[in-house]
Amino acid sequence: MTEDESNSKGLMERQTTGEDRVRMAARQLSEPRTVNWIASEADWSHEPTKRVLERLVDDGTLHRDESGAHTTYYPDYRRQAIQEAMRLRDSGHTAEELTDRLAEMKTQIRDWEDEFDVESPNQLRGTLADESLDAEEEDHRREVAREWEQLQRRIQIVGFVIREWDFLAPTAGPTEANS
């Protein structure tokens, strides 16, 4: 680690508050998590983490689920998808480049379907029951299943961006509702 990297890391740790770290951890959730899990990720204590999470619920940034054994928090996945779509639209890529990327992702999924003779990530996970697989192949299939699910989510978002290209275009200012 260079001196600049070390100074940068130390500066980041000194300049982020516990609340900042909870917000960052909450923004990156991909599945429901407990207060304790988020507090651990944010390196902050339980009670202040819970207060921040409750404010995020009140703001509509997070949702709370009390139906299980433990209360969990998860992001508004629709909001995350829209924000990701806007980032993609604003990234400087053209609709044609995103269309090419969409085709590449779909080709990758078709390759996995052919390679493993399955139609979904869960069917691929089901092949782990095969006694003839060694540990390395089992790990590979688990990793492919995770990547496959991620690609399916990306395909939905990229497809949305392409379909709604004009709608997602950044505007110079607010538009009139009646114009």
Side-chain angles (χ1 to χ4, degrees):
M1 183 179 298
T2 68
E3 184 177 329
D4 286 341
E5 289 171 329
S6 178
N7 289 341
S8 175
K9 185 178 182 201
L11 184 62
M12 180 68 161
E13 288 172 353
R14 287 191 304 271
Q15 290 185 344
T16 60
T17 65
E19 182 168 343
D20 292 335
R21 293 188 306 274
V22 169
R23 287 176 179 277
M24 286 187 277
R27 247 191 316 270
Q28 296 173 5
L29 292 176
S30 59
E31 62 187 77
R33 297 293 187 170
T34 64
V35 173
N36 287 338
W37 188 92
I38 296 167
S40 174
E41 285 294 301
D43 194 26
W44 212 29
S45 59
H46 178 89
E47 283 306 313
T49 296
K50 185 173 181 179
R51 285 193 297 272
V52 171
L53 293 173
E54 289 302 320
R55 281 197 304 272
L56 292 172
V57 167
D58 292 343
D59 293 345
T61 303
L62 289 181
H63 296 286
R64 176 182 46 241
D65 181 4
E66 299 177 272
S67 64
H70 302 283
T71 300
T72 58
Y73 296 84
Y74 59 96
D76 182 337
Y77 297 116
R78 294 174 305 164
R79 181 181 291 192
Q80 277 185 335
I82 291 294
Q83 288 172 337
E84 178 61 19
M86 291 183 332
R87 277 192 296 275
L88 262 178
R89 175 58 171 94
D90 296 346
S91 69
H93 293 292
T94 66
E96 189 61 36
E97 289 170 333
L98 291 177
T99 302
D100 291 345
R101 180 64 187 126
L102 184 64
E104 291 168 10
M105 291 186 289
K106 291 178 79 176
T107 297
Q108 177 61 69
I109 287 176
R110 281 192 292 274
D111 289 348
W112 286 329
E113 289 172 341
D114 292 343
E115 178 183 351
F116 299 106
D117 193 28
V118 295
E119 296 177 7
S120 72
N122 281 336
Q123 283 184 352
L124 179 56
R125 287 184 182 97
T127 67
L128 296 174
D130 183 346
E131 298 282 332
S132 67
L133 297 178
D134 62 21
E136 188 174 314
E137 179 61 19
E138 288 176 2
D139 289 344
H140 172 66
R141 289 178 183 218
R142 272 197 288 280
E143 180 60 29
V144 167
R146 283 190 294 273
E147 288 179 32
W148 189 336
E149 287 174 335
Q150 178 64 25
L151 273 184
Q152 287 176 321
R153 286 189 291 273
R154 294 295 299 165
I155 286 169
Q156 289 178 332
I157 291 172
V158 172
F160 174 76
V161 171
I162 294 167
R163 282 189 309 277
E164 301 298 334
W165 188 258
D166 294 330
F167 176 76
L168 292 169
T171 59
T175 57
E176 296 277 332
N178 295 328
S179 43

